[in-house]
Amino acid sequence: MRIILDCDPGHDDAFAILLSVASKEIELLGVTTVVGNSYLENTTKNARTVLDLFDIDVPVFAGCDKPLFRNVIVAPDIHGKSGLEGAQLPPAKRPIERLHAVDFIAQTLEKYSDVVLVPTGPLTNIALFMIRYPHLIKRIALIVLMGGGIAFGNVTPAAEFNIFADPEAAKIVFQSGVPIVMAPLDVTHQVVVTEEEVRKMRLLGAKFDLLADLLVFFKSTYKRVFGIEGVPLHDPCTVMYLIHPEIFETKDYHVDVETKGELTYGQTVVDVWRTTGKTLNAKVMLRADRMRFFDLFFEKLSQLREA
Ligand code: RIB
Ligand code: CA
C-alpha cells in the first residue's frame, strides 16, 4: 500500500513515520510536513532527523507554514520549543526537497491512483492540495487521519489540536467526498504509553534508547498539562489501522467541522445518532485492542534493528 504521511513532528508523528517504514505492508512514498506542533522549519527538520536516525531513504517535502485563514498556533507545552524535545538526536543531514508538499502530493497522485494520504497534523496541506488540484481529488484512494474528538477536545473542551489549528482546512477535507478513516482522541487515549512501554523500547537497542527518551519527555508534558499518567500514542493509530484494521472497532458517521462557534470553533461534530440524515462521510475509530496494538507496535519497530 502506497502512502504519503503528512505530519507535524511532533513526538507521536515521529513514531507514525517509523511504524510506516517498519511495516512491509506499506510503501512510504514521501513525508510532507506542515506547521502544527511546532513551526514548519522545526517540523521539517524533525522529520528529517527521525528518518536520518535509521538511515531511511524517504524524501521530505515542506508544506504550509501557516493555516488557511486563522493565526498560527503551535504546541511547545507538549512537544517542547523544537517540537521534538527530550533526546540528543544526531542533527538531520538529508536535504529538504525543493518541491512544495502540495505539489508533491499532486505529482504523486498523477502517477498513482491507489495512494493513501495519512495526515497526522493540521489538514492545511491536504486542503490546499484540494483547492489547487480539484481534478485530482478523486484519485485519492483513502485518507486516514488522526484528528478530532467525539466526546472531547484537548485544546478546548470541544476541539482537538489538529483540527483546532486549521478548522477551515479540516472542513474542506471532511466535505471533500474522499473516503475518510478518522482516529479521534476517544480512541487514541486507549493506546497510552506507560513506563512499561518505555522500558520495552529501551530493550530494542541504542537508537531506541533515544526514542525512549522522547517518550519520557512526551509523558512528562502530558502529566504536567493534563495530569494524566502515560501519553496517548495518537498518530501511530493511523498507520496501525492501515496494517491491522482488525484491532480497531469502527463505525460510519457523518462528521463535519465547526468553524464559527464561540465555544466550539474547531470541533469535529460527529453525528452519533444519525440525526442529520447526512452522508456517512467518515469511518470513525471507536475502540482499540491496546494489548494487540503494542504487541504489533514493538514487533514492527524491532524490524528497524535489521534495516
Ligand atoms: O491532538 C493530538 C494531535 O496533535 C497529534 O497529532 C499530535 O502530534 C498533535 O499534532
Ligand atoms: Ca501530529
Side-chain angles (χ1 to χ4, degrees), residues 265-284:
Y265 182 62
Q267 180 178 12
T268 47
V269 182
V270 182
D271 183 6
V272 170
W273 299 114
R274 300 182 176 171
T275 55
T276 63
K278 290 186 176 178
T279 309
L280 308 181
N281 58 332
K283 187 176 291 299
V284 180

Side-chain angles (χ1 to χ4, degrees), residues 8 12-13 37 120-121 162 235:
D8 62 334
D12 50 331
D13 303 76
N37 286 322
T120 63
N162 287 341
D235 294 338

Side-chain angles (χ1 to χ4, degrees), residues 50-72:
V50 169
L51 290 165
D52 278 352
L53 183 63
F54 288 91
D55 300 317
I56 298 160
D57 184 16
V58 169
V60 176
F61 301 84
C64 297
D65 61 0
K66 53 182 173 300
L68 294 184
F69 301 104
R70 60 156 298 155
N71 294 331
V72 173

Side-chain angles (χ1 to χ4, degrees), residues 228-247:
I228 58 175
E229 288 300 336
V231 60
L233 212 48
H234 303 287
D235 294 338
C237 286
T238 56
V239 177
M240 190 64 80
Y241 175 84
L242 283 173
I243 56 181
H244 283 283
E246 77 280 358
I247 74 168

